[in-house]
Amino acid sequence: MSNHSEKQQAQRHSFWRKRQKKTLSVDDITIVDQQMLKRAVGAAALGNAMEWFDFGVYSFLAVTIGKVFFPGGSPAVQLIATFGAFAAAFLVRPLGGMVFGPLGDRIGRQKVLAFTMIMMAIGTFCIGLIPGYDQIGIAAPLLLLVARLVQGFSTGGEYGGAATFIAEYSTDKRRGFMGSWLEFGTLSGYLLGAILVTGMTALLTQQQLMSWGWRIPFFIAGPLGLFGLYIRLKLEETPAFQKHMEKQEALEHSKPQIGLWEMLSRYRIQMLRCVGLVLVFNVSNYMLTSYMPSYLTSVLGMSELSGLMLVMVVMFIMMPLTLASGYWNDRLGRRPVIMCGAIGLIVLAIPALWLIGSGSMSAIFLGLVILGVLHTCFSGTMPATLPALFTTEVRYSALAIGFNLSVSLFGGTTPLLTSWLVEKTGNVMIPAWYLMGAGVIGVITAFFMRETARKPLHGSAPAVGSEEEAHRLVQKLERQAENLPASQ
């Protein structure tokens, strides 16, 4: 009996070793071309910067846009109406995700990302062409809403596609750091918008800004969009998607595209995790980058120029910290870094808002820096964390839908809800409680997520940076197979 059992164990051990060698040979490992990786990361980050320049400009000019398109109301009412149009764009983002996501999984990531780039630029350029309320009346805010909906629809396919593109191009060991460049691009776009708006605010009179100056950043979106389109059209498809399509073509009967409801059912746990992670990520993002400039101006009475300058300096600080977060989550893990940021929001949101509301310029700056540093725990980690939740065949679709659903419900509505709550309650600490609630959800989600740092993407072969590294990986796995206990 004992000899028979030992024989079975030896057979299982031998089978496992053969299977390990078969499935993880050098030919099966993705060797990433480093030059193509740099181009892919640069193009995705640059395209994202162009897109978020468009969105950022709207946020930074919220007070002026409110006066142009919603005159007659109080400053608070104008701000709420402006952010209402801002939030409306987020309501159509899930529709954009439902359209562009499946397209990205069917025809390729690169083609869809090129299309979203030009669509966003057109929507933004058109905002600069719309006459004000004084010229065409109610048609002005209605046209603004239409342009915002075009922006939101195109953005529904942007972030999920860009994050997927970088994640599938990156090596397993450096996916966090490479992904953090996507958010570096986001901050660059916001910062470019902030610099431009700050310069105009300093150089133009209030009347000039109201009559024609506010249109300049939106007109710039046209050539920027064309440049981003050119860069993205020069890219090749990701190695992971190419291998997936090769497998599909090799089958006699290609597996049909998974349907939306089937995907939501099969990946419901991953979708819930995606929604939770995106919630804490985007609430902290839009609270800082979209709401705070207007909060400093409309609620605290600070001048527009001072508010923009403070937020702009904080974003400068956040840019290298985002890359540092990407570097460290490759080494420490995604979960600890996300957990650190979420707990930080719970503990430090009230002190940060208390500092911001103190009236002292140095205290306001310190409060904004606290929020900015906490946000980098998410911005440097999420571009690598979110794509790893799903397999290659549905990665673009699932991420685009889950990401945009969460953003539309919780992220993009942050400026609108906080503006409305502050106006109704008179409590200037509402943003702190909002951030704390997001932090609680972030902690819960991070606790239940699977660690993915330094591991292959779900359903994909390992990805390394050189053939030598591939050989070392195979040898390492063979040694692990040799040392595997017989019971396995």
Side-chain angles (χ1 to χ4, degrees):
M1 188 72 172
S2 177
N3 290 337
H4 178 69
S5 177
E6 290 177 0
K7 184 177 180 181
Q8 283 183 324
Q9 291 173 347
Q11 288 174 340
R12 284 196 297 268
H13 189 194
S14 175
F15 171 79
W16 190 94
R17 283 187 295 172
K18 290 178 181 178
R19 182 172 178 268
Q20 184 79 353
K21 291 178 181 179
K22 178 183 177 181
T23 57
L24 291 175
S25 66
V26 173
D27 292 337
D28 293 325
I29 294 175
T30 300
I31 301 175
V32 178
D33 185 301
Q34 295 302 302
Q35 288 300 114
M36 283 301 300
L37 171 60
K38 292 177 182 178
R39 286 175 55 191
V41 171
L46 179 61
N48 211 45
M50 299 300 101
E51 298 247 2
W52 289 102
F53 165 81
D54 301 342
F55 260 84
V57 161
Y58 186 94
S59 300
F60 296 127
L61 288 170
V63 174
T64 301
I65 290 174
K67 295 175 182 177
V68 173
F69 289 94
F70 307 100
S74 67
V77 171
Q78 290 177 351
L79 188 62
I80 291 172
T82 305
F83 278 134
F86 182 85
F90 288 85
L91 297 180
V92 299
R93 284 182 63 158
L95 297 178
M98 290 178 186
V99 172
F100 293 121
L103 272 178
D105 284 329
R106 188 178 298 116
I107 67 174
R109 288 74 162 107
Q110 181 262 355
K111 296 182 181 67
V112 174
L113 284 173
F115 185 77
T116 60
M117 180 79 259
I118 193 63
M119 189 175 181
M120 180 70 173
I122 291 173
T124 307
F125 186 81
C126 287
I127 291 179
L129 298 175
I130 302 173
Y133 187 92
D134 292 340
Q135 284 76 47
I136 60 174
I138 192 64
L142 290 178
L143 289 173
L144 175 65
L145 179 61
V146 171
R148 289 291 300 156
L149 293 177
V150 171
Q151 284 183 319
F153 188 78
S154 66
T155 307
E158 170 59 26
Y159 187 89
T164 295
F165 199 80
I166 292 180
E168 291 183 348
Y169 249 114
S170 299
T171 61
D172 298 334
K173 289 183 177 181
R174 304 189 70 202
R175 186 167 289 116
F177 178 69
M178 291 300 173
S180 66
W181 284 97
L182 182 63
E183 285 302 313
F184 186 91
T186 296
L187 288 170
S188 299
Y190 269 121
L191 194 56
L192 180 60
I195 292 172
L196 185 57
V197 173
T198 301
M200 292 192 313
T201 304
L203 296 175
L204 301 179
T205 66
Q206 185 64 27
Q207 184 176 358
Q208 289 173 327
L209 191 64
M210 286 277 295
S211 61
W212 56 267
W214 68 271
R215 301 179 186 275
I216 294 175
F218 296 100
F219 288 147
I220 290 176
L224 286 180
L226 291 175
F227 179 66
L229 176 65
Y230 171 78
I231 294 297
R232 286 189 170 179
L233 287 175
K234 300 290 286 184
L235 292 173
E236 295 181 8
E237 193 51 78
T238 69
F241 185 77
Q242 287 180 10
K243 286 192 174 184
H244 170 68
M245 294 304 294
E246 289 171 3
K247 290 178 182 178
Q248 290 289 90
E249 292 173 2
L251 298 174
E252 290 186 18
H253 302 287
S254 181
K255 187 168 63 173
Q257 186 82 10
I258 184 172
L260 173 62
W261 296 113
E262 182 183 355
M263 181 189 68
L264 294 176
S265 175
R266 187 184 300 179
Y267 295 95
R268 59 184 179 277
I269 301 299
Q270 292 92 328
M271 291 291 281
L272 286 174
R273 289 172 182 160
C274 179
V275 168
L277 292 171
V278 173
L279 185 152
V280 66
F281 174 30
N282 276 276
V283 166
S284 64
N285 177 25
Y286 288 107
M287 187 69 77
L288 179 65
T289 58
S290 297
Y291 179 65
M292 274 300 146
S294 300
Y295 177 82
L296 295 174
T297 301
S298 299
V299 179
L300 301 182
M302 185 179 294
S303 69
E304 291 183 35
L305 181 59
S306 298
L308 285 173
M309 287 293 290
L310 281 175
V311 174
M312 187 169 62
V313 173
V314 171
M315 285 193 288
F316 264 121
I317 296 172
M318 289 169 61
M319 290 173 71
L321 292 179
T322 295
L323 299 180
S325 175
Y327 175 87
W328 283 109
N329 77 66
D330 276 332
R331 283 149 182 78
L332 302 177
R334 322 283 191 227
R335 293 176 71 233
V337 176
I338 294 172
M339 191 76 76
C340 179
I343 293 174
L345 286 180
I346 297 171
V347 175
L348 298 175
I350 288 179
L353 264 293
W354 179 82
L355 288 169
I356 291 171
S358 67
S360 167
M361 191 65 71
S362 59
I364 293 173
F365 178 70
L366 179 58
L368 292 174
V369 168
I370 290 173
L371 296 181
V373 170
L374 291 176
H375 177 67
T376 61
C377 293
F378 312 124
S379 61
T381 307
M382 294 299 178
T385 302
L386 297 174
L389 294 172
F390 308 102
T391 60
T392 305
E393 65 173 342
V394 300
R395 184 169 293 126
Y396 199 152
S397 302
L399 181 52
I401 293 171
F403 184 92
N404 290 294
L405 180 65
S406 184
V407 170
S408 65
L409 292 176
F410 308 110
T413 56
T414 295
L416 175 63
L417 284 177
T418 47
S419 295
W420 182 79
L421 288 171
V422 169
E423 171 72 9
K424 288 297 182 182
T425 65
N427 184 356
V428 296
M429 296 301 290
I430 287 293
W433 294 105
Y434 207 94
L435 288 170
M436 290 172 68
V440 170
I441 294 174
V443 168
I444 295 172
T445 308
F447 180 80
F448 287 104
M449 66 176 278
R450 181 176 65 94
E451 182 57 70
T452 58
R454 303 174 70 85
K455 296 178 181 178
L457 289 172
H458 187 36
S460 299
V464 298
S466 66
E467 188 171 344
E468 292 77 11
E469 189 177 350
H471 281 287
R472 290 197 301 270
L473 177 60
V474 170
Q475 292 170 1
K476 176 183 176 182
L477 292 171
E478 287 177 346
R479 289 195 300 270
Q480 289 178 351
E482 294 290 343
N483 298 327
L484 188 71
S487 61
Q488 296 185 7

